[in-house]
Amino acid sequence: AAQLRANNYLVEVEHNGQGRITTNGTPIAFSGTPTSELPSAPELGQDTESILLAAGYDWPAIEHLKDIHAI
């Protein structure tokens, strides 16, 4: 594990809900273009409303989906 960390194959990142976690780093390195830390994945359901709005649903339809526990 020490060699994996030394080569940045395992890195620690800040996760929105879990604090610092260990995850996969970038397995390749570029001399002229450094890689950057990716943001953590969204929490379950975090983007549901914005995705449904972008898909053409209106707020009453989204509220109905919530009322019937579909989302």
Side-chain angles (χ1 to χ4, degrees), residues 5 9-13 19-24:
R5 288 183 192 279
Y9 298 149
L10 293 177
V11 295
E12 284 195 12
V13 296
R20 301 288 295 170
I21 62 168
T22 301
T23 188
N24 298 342

Side-chain angles (χ1 to χ4, degrees), residues 26-39:
T26 305
I28 55 177
F30 301 102
S31 60
T33 308
T35 58
S36 62
E37 188 175 300
L38 296 173

Side-chain angles (χ1 to χ4, degrees), residues 6-68:
N7 290 338
N8 291 322
Y9 298 149
L10 293 177
V11 295
E12 284 195 12
V13 296
E14 189 68 31
H15 185 276
N16 293 336
Q18 299 180 358
R20 301 288 295 170
I21 62 168
T22 301
T23 188
N24 298 342
T26 305
I28 55 177
F30 301 102
S31 60
T33 308
T35 58
S36 62
E37 188 175 300
L38 296 173
S40 61
E43 296 293 320
L44 181 63
Q46 178 179 330
D47 297 325
T48 300
E49 292 173 351
S50 62
I51 291 169
L52 290 174
L53 287 168
Y57 287 82
D58 59 11
W59 281 109
I62 293 171
E63 289 300 324
H64 174 70
L65 291 172
K66 288 181 181 181
D67 291 343
I68 64 171

